[in-house]
């Protein structure tokens, strides 16, 4: 058995919230979108990473995931995100911090999910 990627699905009550986070803040690109349907969705990509955003109120209420994004330059990511979208910084990890397990981390969150950035 061989796997090459894990592609998460993230559910939002309003898909535009997810687009603000991933496209506006984290600079993902929209590889495919189907927004004018009863179940709007988008496929987003950046640097070999893919994810799917869906607008589904019921599933959004049931699922509040935390994603982790690994980087080789967490200070650069932090500088960019904290300058352009400081309101997204998670209050419990709003600065780059060395964690007990050795990773440098900081986190952001919107009303649906949290993203923890890590550098090992």
């Amino acid at each position: 058995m061989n796997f090459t990627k894990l592609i998460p699905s993230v559910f939002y009550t309003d898909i535009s919230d997810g687009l603000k986070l991933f496209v506006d803040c984290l600079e993902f690109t929209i590889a495919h979108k189907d927004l004018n349907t009863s179940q709007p969705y988008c496929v987003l990509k950046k640097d070999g990473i893919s994810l799917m955003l869906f607008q589904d109120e019921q599933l959004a209420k049931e699922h509040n995931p935390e994603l982790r994004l690994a980087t080789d330059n967490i200070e650069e990511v932090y500088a960019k995100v904290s300058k352009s979208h400081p309101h997204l910084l998670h209050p419990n990890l709003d600065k780059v911090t060395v964690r007990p397990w050795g990773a440098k981390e900081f986190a952001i969150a919107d009303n649906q999910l949290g993203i923890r950035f890590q550098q090992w």
Side-chain angles (χ1 to χ4, degrees):
M1 224 184 306
N2 183 32
F3 302 104
T4 59
K5 291 184 182 181
L6 176 67
I7 304 170
S9 296
V10 180
F11 301 95
Y12 278 87
T13 301
D14 182 350
I15 199 169
S16 66
D17 292 337
L19 292 172
K20 288 175 190 170
L21 176 72
F22 286 101
V23 176
D24 296 345
C25 178
L26 300 179
E27 301 177 347
F28 277 68
T29 59
I30 299 172
H32 177 81
K33 65 181 174 181
D34 198 354
L35 299 177
N36 297 319
T37 68
S38 61
Q39 295 182 315
Y41 72 97
C42 291
V43 178
L44 305 180
K45 293 186 176 192
K46 179 180 177 76
D47 301 328
I49 298 170
S50 300
L51 67 114
M52 297 184 73
L53 297 185
F54 293 91
Q55 183 168 299
D56 186 307
E57 185 173 356
Q58 183 61 39
L59 289 174
K61 289 178 182 177
E62 296 172 9
H63 303 280
N64 296 96
E66 177 181 277
L67 305 176
R68 292 176 185 257
L69 289 174
T71 180
D72 291 329
N73 192 341
I74 198 164
E75 285 81 10
E76 177 186 31
V77 176
Y78 178 78
K80 192 163 200 164
V81 170
S82 64
K83 182 177 181 179
S84 67
H85 292 79
H87 61 283
L88 293 177
L89 292 170
H90 192 286
N92 294 336
L93 199 54
D94 63 350
K95 302 274 187 270
V96 176
T97 305
V98 177
R99 308 299 282 171
W101 46 91
K104 291 181 183 179
E105 298 184 353
F106 81 95
I108 62 173
D110 66 6
N111 62 354
Q112 188 58 41
L113 81 149
I115 299 176
R116 192 177 292 233
F117 298 89
Q118 291 183 318
Q119 181 179 347
W120 290 91

